[in-house]
Every structure is written in C-alpha cells, then in structure tokens.
Amino acid sequence: MAQDFNINDSLQGVWEKLGMWMDSLILSLPNFLLAVLVFILFIVAAKYIGKILSSVLKFKVKQDSIREITIKIVKVLVIAIGFFVALGLLNLNTVLTSVLAGAGVVGLAVGLALQGTLNNTFSGILLSFLPELQIGDWIENNGYAGKVIEISLRSIKIKEADNNIVIIPNSQVIDAPFKNFSRTPRSRVMVSCGVSYNSNLEQVKDLTIETIQSLYPPSTNEEVEFMYQEFGDSSINFVVRFWTNARTKKEILIAQSEAIITIKKVFDQKAINIPFPIRTIDFSNTLGIEKSSE
C-alpha cells in the first residue's frame, strides 16, 4: 500500500535544502566578494590599459577607426581574462570548462563562417602598423594606381588619377606586391628617344647628359645615365635616366614631359634630327607592257 503524502515532511525537506544552500552561500561569500573585486579590478585595468595603448598608437596609427577598434579588442580581452579568473576563485571549474568549450565551438563556427572577413580584419590591423603604407601615399597594387585616402579594417581606399575610387580588400594588399612612390623623396625617371643615322652619336650623348644635368641637377651618389639601346627602323634609339624629387606618378610624368620638351629644343638648336618613322615603297614594275598593234 502506498505511503500517505505528508506535507509536513515535505516542507521539512525543503527547509533543510534551503538551509544547506544558505550555509554554502555563507561559506562561499568571501570567495564571491573576492571574485567580484578581482573582476572590478580587471575592468579598471582595461580602462587604463586602453588609455596607455591609445597614447602609444597615436604615434603609430594614423587611422582613428583602426586605433579605436584595436583598443576595444584589447579591453575585451583583459575583461575576459578577469571573468575567467573570477570563475576560478569561485571554484566553478565545471562552469569554467563548459564556458571555454562553448567558446571554442562558437569561435570555430564563427571563424569558418567569416573566414574572409576575419582575414581582411587582421590584414587591416597589420596594414595600420606597416610603415611602408600610410594614408596619403601613392601606390600601385593589383593593377590599380592611386593615392591612399582610407585604411579600414576591411579594405583600403585609393583615388586614381582619373578621380575614381578603388576599394581593395586588405588581404589582397597583404598577399600581393605593391609599389609605393611616396616612401622615397627621389625617383629615377627614364626618357626614350631616337636620332637619325647620320647623327654624331658622341655629340648626342654629351649634349643630352649636359641638358638633363642642367635641368635636374643630380645629388650625391647620383648621375645622369645615357645608353644607346638599338638600331631602329629609322633611328638609333637611346634612353636617358635621371633623378628628381618625385613622390607621385604625376610628378614623374611632369619630369618626363619637361625633359622631352628641353631635349627637343636643344636638338633643334644643334640641328640634330629626331626622324619620323620611315617606310620605303617600291614602285618598280618588272612586268612588260605590250602595246596592241593597230
């Protein structure tokens, strides 16, 4: 026969259970207060670490958004460490293990889902600290050339010479070679030309070097270089290389234009011919023409 339900015994059991929980709470109260204190200390530490990091990054990173995101990430990491330390002080090893396991699974899932985005994000952080690439530089990358106007966590934005905006993902900038015209104050400029076959080649060489040296005086350890390249169809071709102050592609084009104008003017004064392309047409007729008899 089933035992009759006794409400007094049930209430007694509930009170005993609550008493055990209360005793456990009182015993663990010091650890709880210590855990709360440690967690608060980590929050305060994250705040001051963020300020110190902001002062350091102010001289390293020009992009404000990247600097702020980096500081936030560091703060979150410090607070997360404080959270796990507090759980350890509460002897919640099982909870701590479960949280870490869950974080690992969630992190793996998020990482696989956002692989491309995360790659661009980390590449953007690397680019922000890369001294070879700064806002305002003129670069060539992935077939595009322009001035860097923005570096974000996803991409860099450049403005081309035709005023069009090109957005390149950070991962492509990191993985592909890029040319930066703005990292060096001096650039070497090359101009190609040709003179007629009856020209005095020594005179042409000396005159060209003298002209370029007067237009763009070389600095220490620099020189104007002149080399004949080939016997062309209608001219003997040469290239002259010289140095000038240029940090952008436009400045290099300006230097080339000025050099071409000056060389042409000097050659005209010295009667040195820059020939047009010449084509010879043979009109000889080897076929006999027979006159019809009347």
Side-chain angles (χ1 to χ4, degrees):
M1 183 175 179
Q3 188 177 1
D4 295 336
F5 176 74
N6 192 331
I7 190 171
N8 293 327
D9 293 340
S10 299
L11 292 176
Q12 184 66 27
V14 170
W15 283 113
E16 289 178 358
K17 195 67 174 179
L18 291 175
M20 292 174 59
W21 287 350
M22 185 63 66
D23 292 340
S24 177
L25 179 60
I26 293 173
L27 290 175
S28 60
L29 184 60
N31 288 341
F32 177 77
L33 295 177
L34 181 60
V36 172
L37 179 61
V38 168
F39 187 62
I40 293 175
L41 289 177
F42 269 90
I43 294 176
V44 175
K47 179 180 179 180
Y48 283 99
I49 290 175
K51 290 183 178 180
I52 296 173
L53 188 61
S54 177
S55 301
V56 174
L57 295 182
K58 188 176 297 183
F59 301 98
K60 299 291 185 180
V61 184
K62 294 184 177 181
Q63 189 69 19
D64 293 337
S65 60
I66 296 179
R67 184 169 65 247
E68 293 175 0
I69 291 296
T70 304
I71 293 172
K72 289 180 179 179
I73 292 175
V74 172
K75 286 183 177 181
V76 170
L77 290 176
V78 173
I79 294 174
I81 292 173
F83 175 73
F84 290 127
V85 171
L87 289 180
L89 292 175
L90 291 174
N91 296 321
L92 298 177
N93 297 327
T94 304
V95 176
L96 180 60
T97 304
S98 301
V99 171
L100 290 176
V105 173
V106 173
L108 179 61
V110 173
L112 292 175
L114 303 177
Q115 184 176 2
T117 302
L118 292 176
N119 188 14
N120 287 325
T121 300
F122 285 110
S123 298
I125 295 175
L126 292 176
L127 287 176
S128 65
F129 290 96
L130 192 66
E132 287 80 14
L133 182 63
Q134 300 291 336
I135 294 177
D137 290 350
W138 186 278
I139 68 169
E140 287 184 358
N141 178 256
N142 288 283
Y144 301 99
K147 181 180 179 181
V148 179
I149 59 176
E150 183 181 343
I151 302 176
S152 66
L153 289 178
R154 180 185 177 276
S155 60
I156 71 167
K157 185 184 296 184
I158 65 174
K159 179 185 289 186
E160 294 188 300
D162 57 6
N163 207 38
N164 287 324
I165 302 297
V166 178
I167 299 175
I168 306 176
N170 291 328
S171 59
Q172 295 186 17
V173 179
I174 289 291
D175 294 337
F178 65 88
K179 181 189 291 187
N180 193 332
F181 291 87
S182 304
R183 290 297 93 193
T184 53
R186 303 276 289 178
S187 296
R188 176 174 280 173
V189 182
M190 292 178 284
V191 173
S192 299
C193 187
V195 293
S196 62
Y197 274 84
N198 60 1
S199 301
N200 185 330
L201 298 186
E202 291 295 334
Q203 179 191 14
V204 171
K205 178 179 180 179
D206 295 339
L207 184 61
T208 304
I209 292 176
E210 180 183 349
T211 300
I212 295 298
Q213 283 179 341
S214 62
L215 185 62
Y216 296 104
S219 299
T220 307
N221 299 326
E222 296 178 355
E223 62 176 335
V224 177
E225 298 176 339
F226 181 101
M227 283 82 67
Y228 286 104
Q229 293 179 294
E230 62 178 351
F231 293 98
D233 294 335
S234 56
S235 63
I236 299 178
N237 300 323
F238 67 85
V239 61
V240 57
R241 307 196 302 180
F242 57 93
W243 295 87
T244 184
N245 294 326
R247 290 182 177 270
T248 65
K249 185 67 174 179
K250 179 181 178 180
E251 292 175 340
I252 293 177
L253 292 175
I254 291 175
Q256 288 177 330
S257 177
E258 292 180 351
I260 290 173
I261 293 174
T262 306
I263 290 174
K264 177 64 167 58
K265 184 182 299 183
V266 172
F267 280 8
D268 289 344
Q269 293 174 355
K270 298 297 182 179
I272 297 175
N273 182 34
I274 302 176
F276 295 100
I278 298 174
R279 296 290 182 270
T280 302
I281 302 176
D282 187 3
F283 288 101
S284 61
N285 187 1
T286 59
L287 298 177
I289 300 177
E290 296 181 359
K291 296 182 177 180
S292 59
S293 57
E294 297 180 355

